[in-house]
Amino acid sequence: MVNKNQHIVLRTENLSIGYTSKKSETEVASNINIELHQGELVGLIGANGIGKSTLLRTLTKVQTALNGTIFINNKDIIKYASLDLAKAMSLVLTEQISSKNLSVLELVALGRQPYTNWVGNLSEQDMTAVIKALNQTNIEGLKEKKCFELSDGQLQKVMIARALAQDTDLIILDEPTTHLDMYHKAYILKLLQKLAKETNKTILFSSHEIDLAIQLCDKLVVMTKDNVISDEPCNLISKGIFETLFPKDLIAFDKDTGSFRVRK
């Protein structure tokens, strides 16, 4: 388990998230107070439509918070210029990449954009970071392949490698196991667990794979209709948090196995 005396990479204070329009404000969740430490693998879980994507968009400055403060490395996220934020936090989205004609090497190298000169030339240091990221994700053998030739699982590893090449303290992934079969879902999450430990980066991902997240994560951020709770999986189990995620008429949580089952 991660040493809690380690540096806090991401912290929120009384954060409220949601949407604003000219006439109204819609609050999705409020009073969010979480701390993510260096080297932690953290899963963001909750039922469909509960607000996970809204929270991730807010934490990554894609969407403005309704209230409260987000700190990255003890600095208010509002005070980050775009280039500086790209050196502190990298983002892996579920959207399709714009050009699958790029080679794997070229796509991973895009992670070095915050550090290259205005022409975009890669230095020796940049290339070292790219090759290291390819090796860390076990895709060095794919570097010459075009992205359209890859399976969904291989492409997801390429996107993770690009985030690693960006060399940020924090990596945030939105549903990294979407469209993958059970084996590759487990493979990707095991890879993230390994990377968090080996690189000492903080990795936050949203997922519907709650059983896997319970097994693999150092910490979980659980969104319910009433609040947002963050703790180690074993503590959340003992507090009965997982029993509140879904209607009890169909889904039950087994504390002994740490998994969900369908009621007979």
Side-chain angles (χ1 to χ4, degrees):
M1 201 54 67
V2 173
N3 180 357
K4 298 310 175 190
N5 292 322
Q6 282 191 282
H7 173 64
I8 298 171
V9 174
L10 172 67
R11 175 168 59 93
T12 67
E13 285 186 359
N14 300 321
L15 181 68
S16 295
I17 60 172
Y19 304 90
T20 56
S21 65
K22 292 181 179 179
K23 296 182 178 180
S24 64
E25 180 177 281
T26 303
E27 186 179 82
V28 172
S30 62
N31 197 34
I32 302 171
N33 293 283
I34 59 176
E35 288 185 0
L36 309 188
H37 296 79
Q38 188 175 23
E40 283 185 327
L41 178 65
V42 184
L44 170 61
I45 62 174
N48 277 342
I50 204 73
K52 297 188 297 296
S53 294
T54 304
L55 177 55
L56 285 189
R57 284 196 297 268
T58 307
L59 293 178
T60 54
K61 207 180 175 183
V62 173
Q63 190 167 322
T64 304
L66 299 184
N67 284 297
T69 313
I70 301 164
F71 297 94
I72 306 278
N73 289 327
N74 295 317
K75 179 179 177 180
D76 189 337
I77 197 171
I78 293 175
K79 296 180 180 179
Y80 274 92
S82 296
L83 185 61
D84 292 331
L85 188 60
K87 293 178 180 179
M89 174 177 63
S90 50
L91 184 59
V92 179
L93 299 172
T94 53
E95 283 84 355
Q96 292 290 321
I97 58 173
S98 56
S99 176
K100 287 194 174 183
N101 286 319
L102 293 174
S103 71
V104 167
L105 182 66
E106 289 169 333
L107 182 56
V108 174
L110 290 178
R112 298 303 298 171
Q113 281 186 334
Y115 307 96
T116 58
N117 58 37
W118 65 274
V119 182
N121 293 331
L122 295 174
S123 67
E124 184 177 338
Q125 182 181 357
D126 293 322
M127 282 307 303
T128 298
V130 170
I131 298 302
K132 182 180 178 181
L134 291 170
N135 288 327
Q136 286 172 323
T137 49
N138 303 311
I139 57 170
E140 203 276 336
L142 300 176
K143 65 182 181 182
E144 303 301 332
K145 278 189 171 289
K146 297 292 186 181
C147 289
F148 68 78
E149 299 178 275
L150 304 179
S151 68
D152 288 337
Q154 289 172 327
L155 188 58
Q156 189 60 266
K157 284 189 279 185
V158 174
M159 301 304 289
I160 292 170
R162 185 178 72 172
L164 287 170
Q166 198 170 326
D167 195 21
T168 58
D169 289 335
L170 175 64
I171 299 175
I172 294 181
L173 305 98
D174 184 18
E175 296 285 355
T177 58
T178 299
H179 309 309
L180 302 183
D181 61 32
M182 181 55 69
Y183 174 84
H184 288 94
K185 288 178 193 291
Y187 184 97
I188 290 296
L189 295 189
K190 282 287 288 183
L191 175 62
L192 294 179
Q193 182 191 49
K194 173 175 172 282
L195 291 172
K197 285 181 170 59
E198 291 184 353
T199 67
N200 214 25
K201 296 181 185 298
T202 305
I203 301 178
L204 169 65
F205 68 95
S206 62
S207 181
H208 294 296
E209 309 305 322
I210 302 176
D211 288 356
L212 287 173
I214 289 171
Q215 296 177 59
L216 298 174
C217 289
D218 299 299
K219 181 182 290 179
L220 292 174
V221 177
V222 184
M223 297 189 73
T224 72
K225 57 183 176 58
D226 297 318
N227 51 24
V228 178
I229 306 135
S230 176
D231 208 336
E232 296 175 12
C234 57
N235 293 335
L236 293 167
I237 290 173
S238 64
K239 292 175 184 176
I241 299 301
F242 297 113
E243 283 94 325
T244 68
L245 285 186
F246 304 107
K248 294 182 179 181
D249 61 329
L250 186 60
I251 302 293
F253 182 76
D254 188 332
K255 285 188 176 183
D256 294 330
T257 62
S259 61
F260 291 88
R261 61 178 175 82
V262 178
R263 291 188 185 276
K264 294 181 179 179

PDB file of all heavy atoms in Angstrom, residues 33-49:
ATOM      1  N   ASN A  33     -13.998  16.299  -1.607  1.00  0.00           N
ATOM      2  CA  ASN A  33     -12.695  16.529  -0.983  1.00  0.00           C
ATOM      3  C   ASN A  33     -11.873  15.249  -1.094  1.00  0.00           C
ATOM      4  O   ASN A  33     -12.088  14.285  -0.356  1.00  0.00           O
ATOM      5  CB  ASN A  33     -12.862  16.922   0.483  1.00  0.00           C
ATOM      6  CG  ASN A  33     -13.533  18.265   0.656  1.00  0.00           C
ATOM      7  OD1 ASN A  33     -12.927  19.320   0.480  1.00  0.00           O
ATOM      8  ND2 ASN A  33     -14.826  18.248   0.964  1.00  0.00           N
ATOM      9  N   ILE A  34     -10.952  15.236  -2.045  1.00  0.00           N
ATOM     10  CA  ILE A  34     -10.138  14.040  -2.268  1.00  0.00           C
ATOM     11  C   ILE A  34      -8.660  14.415  -2.297  1.00  0.00           C
ATOM     12  O   ILE A  34      -8.291  15.551  -2.606  1.00  0.00           O
ATOM     13  CB  ILE A  34     -10.520  13.315  -3.577  1.00  0.00           C
ATOM     14  CG1 ILE A  34     -10.351  14.243  -4.798  1.00  0.00           C
ATOM     15  CG2 ILE A  34     -11.949  12.793  -3.515  1.00  0.00           C
ATOM     16  CD1 ILE A  34     -10.609  13.561  -6.128  1.00  0.00           C
ATOM     17  N   GLU A  35      -7.823  13.445  -1.973  1.00  0.00           N
ATOM     18  CA  GLU A  35      -6.367  13.591  -2.061  1.00  0.00           C
ATOM     19  C   GLU A  35      -5.799  12.369  -2.769  1.00  0.00           C
ATOM     20  O   GLU A  35      -6.054  11.248  -2.355  1.00  0.00           O
ATOM     21  CB  GLU A  35      -5.732  13.700  -0.667  1.00  0.00           C
ATOM     22  CG  GLU A  35      -5.982  14.995   0.052  1.00  0.00           C
ATOM     23  CD  GLU A  35      -5.218  15.065   1.372  1.00  0.00           C
ATOM     24  OE1 GLU A  35      -4.505  14.086   1.705  1.00  0.00           O
ATOM     25  OE2 GLU A  35      -5.324  16.091   2.061  1.00  0.00           O
ATOM     26  N   LEU A  36      -5.043  12.597  -3.836  1.00  0.00           N
ATOM     27  CA  LEU A  36      -4.374  11.510  -4.540  1.00  0.00           C
ATOM     28  C   LEU A  36      -2.871  11.684  -4.368  1.00  0.00           C
ATOM     29  O   LEU A  36      -2.327  12.743  -4.680  1.00  0.00           O
ATOM     30  CB  LEU A  36      -4.726  11.520  -6.028  1.00  0.00           C
ATOM     31  CG  LEU A  36      -6.212  11.568  -6.401  1.00  0.00           C
ATOM     32  CD1 LEU A  36      -6.382  11.384  -7.899  1.00  0.00           C
ATOM     33  CD2 LEU A  36      -7.009  10.529  -5.642  1.00  0.00           C
ATOM     34  N   HIS A  37      -2.223  10.648  -3.832  1.00  0.00           N
ATOM     35  CA  HIS A  37      -0.805  10.721  -3.515  1.00  0.00           C
ATOM     36  C   HIS A  37       0.060  10.190  -4.646  1.00  0.00           C
ATOM     37  O   HIS A  37      -0.396   9.441  -5.508  1.00  0.00           O
ATOM     38  CB  HIS A  37      -0.505   9.941  -2.237  1.00  0.00           C
ATOM     39  CG  HIS A  37      -1.166  10.494  -1.016  1.00  0.00           C
ATOM     40  ND1 HIS A  37      -2.490  10.261  -0.737  1.00  0.00           N
ATOM     41  CD2 HIS A  37      -0.692  11.271  -0.010  1.00  0.00           C
ATOM     42  CE1 HIS A  37      -2.809  10.868   0.398  1.00  0.00           C
ATOM     43  NE2 HIS A  37      -1.740  11.488   0.853  1.00  0.00           N
ATOM     44  N   GLN A  38       1.320  10.574  -4.606  1.00  0.00           N
ATOM     45  CA  GLN A  38       2.300  10.124  -5.580  1.00  0.00           C
ATOM     46  C   GLN A  38       2.377   8.598  -5.582  1.00  0.00           C
ATOM     47  O   GLN A  38       2.444   7.968  -4.531  1.00  0.00           O
ATOM     48  CB  GLN A  38       3.660  10.719  -5.230  1.00  0.00           C
ATOM     49  CG  GLN A  38       4.733  10.499  -6.260  1.00  0.00           C
ATOM     50  CD  GLN A  38       6.015  11.223  -5.891  1.00  0.00           C
ATOM     51  OE1 GLN A  38       6.260  11.530  -4.729  1.00  0.00           O
ATOM     52  NE2 GLN A  38       6.839  11.517  -6.882  1.00  0.00           N
ATOM     53  N   GLY A  39       2.339   8.012  -6.772  1.00  0.00           N
ATOM     54  CA  GLY A  39       2.497   6.569  -6.905  1.00  0.00           C
ATOM     55  C   GLY A  39       1.241   5.763  -6.691  1.00  0.00           C
ATOM     56  O   GLY A  39       1.295   4.534  -6.706  1.00  0.00           O
ATOM     57  N   GLU A  40       0.097   6.404  -6.532  1.00  0.00           N
ATOM     58  CA  GLU A  40      -1.154   5.682  -6.313  1.00  0.00           C
ATOM     59  C   GLU A  40      -1.865   5.371  -7.633  1.00  0.00           C
ATOM     60  O   GLU A  40      -1.886   6.197  -8.542  1.00  0.00           O
ATOM     61  CB  GLU A  40      -2.123   6.505  -5.446  1.00  0.00           C
ATOM     62  CG  GLU A  40      -1.787   6.510  -3.977  1.00  0.00           C
ATOM     63  CD  GLU A  40      -2.847   7.240  -3.160  1.00  0.00           C
ATOM     64  OE1 GLU A  40      -3.447   8.211  -3.663  1.00  0.00           O
ATOM     65  OE2 GLU A  40      -3.064   6.849  -2.005  1.00  0.00           O
ATOM     66  N   LEU A  41      -2.475   4.194  -7.692  1.00  0.00           N
ATOM     67  CA  LEU A  41      -3.441   3.873  -8.739  1.00  0.00           C
ATOM     68  C   LEU A  41      -4.826   4.066  -8.137  1.00  0.00           C
ATOM     69  O   LEU A  41      -5.163   3.430  -7.136  1.00  0.00           O
ATOM     70  CB  LEU A  41      -3.281   2.433  -9.231  1.00  0.00           C
ATOM     71  CG  LEU A  41      -4.293   1.985 -10.292  1.00  0.00           C
ATOM     72  CD1 LEU A  41      -4.112   2.771 -11.588  1.00  0.00           C
ATOM     73  CD2 LEU A  41      -4.182   0.490 -10.566  1.00  0.00           C
ATOM     74  N   VAL A  42      -5.608   4.951  -8.750  1.00  0.00           N
ATOM     75  CA  VAL A  42      -6.897   5.345  -8.190  1.00  0.00           C
ATOM     76  C   VAL A  42      -7.994   5.125  -9.219  1.00  0.00           C
ATOM     77  O   VAL A  42      -7.908   5.609 -10.355  1.00  0.00           O
ATOM     78  CB  VAL A  42      -6.892   6.829  -7.747  1.00  0.00           C
ATOM     79  CG1 VAL A  42      -8.208   7.187  -7.071  1.00  0.00           C
ATOM     80  CG2 VAL A  42      -5.716   7.115  -6.832  1.00  0.00           C
ATOM     81  N   GLY A  43      -9.025   4.396  -8.834  1.00  0.00           N
ATOM     82  CA  GLY A  43     -10.160   4.172  -9.707  1.00  0.00           C
ATOM     83  C   GLY A  43     -11.329   5.066  -9.333  1.00  0.00           C
ATOM     84  O   GLY A  43     -11.644   5.224  -8.151  1.00  0.00           O
ATOM     85  N   LEU A  44     -11.960   5.663 -10.327  1.00  0.00           N
ATOM     86  CA  LEU A  44     -13.168   6.466 -10.141  1.00  0.00           C
ATOM     87  C   LEU A  44     -14.347   5.627 -10.607  1.00  0.00           C
ATOM     88  O   LEU A  44     -14.436   5.265 -11.787  1.00  0.00           O
ATOM     89  CB  LEU A  44     -13.078   7.763 -10.947  1.00  0.00           C
ATOM     90  CG  LEU A  44     -14.342   8.619 -11.057  1.00  0.00           C
ATOM     91  CD1 LEU A  44     -14.811   9.083  -9.685  1.00  0.00           C
ATOM     92  CD2 LEU A  44     -14.116   9.797 -11.992  1.00  0.00           C
ATOM     93  N   ILE A  45     -15.237   5.280  -9.681  1.00  0.00           N
ATOM     94  CA  ILE A  45     -16.327   4.374 -10.009  1.00  0.00           C
ATOM     95  C   ILE A  45     -17.672   4.947  -9.561  1.00  0.00           C
ATOM     96  O   ILE A  45     -17.736   5.836  -8.721  1.00  0.00           O
ATOM     97  CB  ILE A  45     -16.119   2.978  -9.380  1.00  0.00           C
ATOM     98  CG1 ILE A  45     -16.090   3.077  -7.853  1.00  0.00           C
ATOM     99  CG2 ILE A  45     -14.840   2.332  -9.908  1.00  0.00           C
ATOM    100  CD1 ILE A  45     -16.024   1.729  -7.153  1.00  0.00           C
ATOM    101  N   GLY A  46     -18.734   4.382 -10.130  1.00  0.00           N
ATOM    102  CA  GLY A  46     -20.090   4.796  -9.813  1.00  0.00           C
ATOM    103  C   GLY A  46     -21.024   4.323 -10.911  1.00  0.00           C
ATOM    104  O   GLY A  46     -20.578   3.881 -11.975  1.00  0.00           O
ATOM    105  N   ALA A  47     -22.310   4.423 -10.666  1.00  0.00           N
ATOM    106  CA  ALA A  47     -23.302   3.980 -11.646  1.00  0.00           C
ATOM    107  C   ALA A  47     -23.279   4.869 -12.884  1.00  0.00           C
ATOM    108  O   ALA A  47     -22.758   5.994 -12.860  1.00  0.00           O
ATOM    109  CB  ALA A  47     -24.699   3.995 -11.015  1.00  0.00           C
ATOM    110  N   ASN A  48     -23.831   4.365 -13.982  1.00  0.00           N
ATOM    111  CA  ASN A  48     -23.954   5.163 -15.202  1.00  0.00           C
ATOM    112  C   ASN A  48     -24.706   6.459 -14.920  1.00  0.00           C
ATOM    113  O   ASN A  48     -25.722   6.456 -14.224  1.00  0.00           O
ATOM    114  CB  ASN A  48     -24.711   4.378 -16.279  1.00  0.00           C
ATOM    115  CG  ASN A  48     -23.817   3.430 -17.034  1.00  0.00           C
ATOM    116  OD1 ASN A  48     -22.606   3.560 -17.017  1.00  0.00           O
ATOM    117  ND2 ASN A  48     -24.423   2.462 -17.696  1.00  0.00           N
ATOM    118  N   GLY A  49     -24.207   7.562 -15.487  1.00  0.00           N
ATOM    119  CA  GLY A  49     -24.895   8.835 -15.365  1.00  0.00           C
ATOM    120  C   GLY A  49     -24.727   9.527 -14.032  1.00  0.00           C
ATOM    121  O   GLY A  49     -25.366  10.555 -13.781  1.00  0.00           O
TER     122      GLY A  49
END
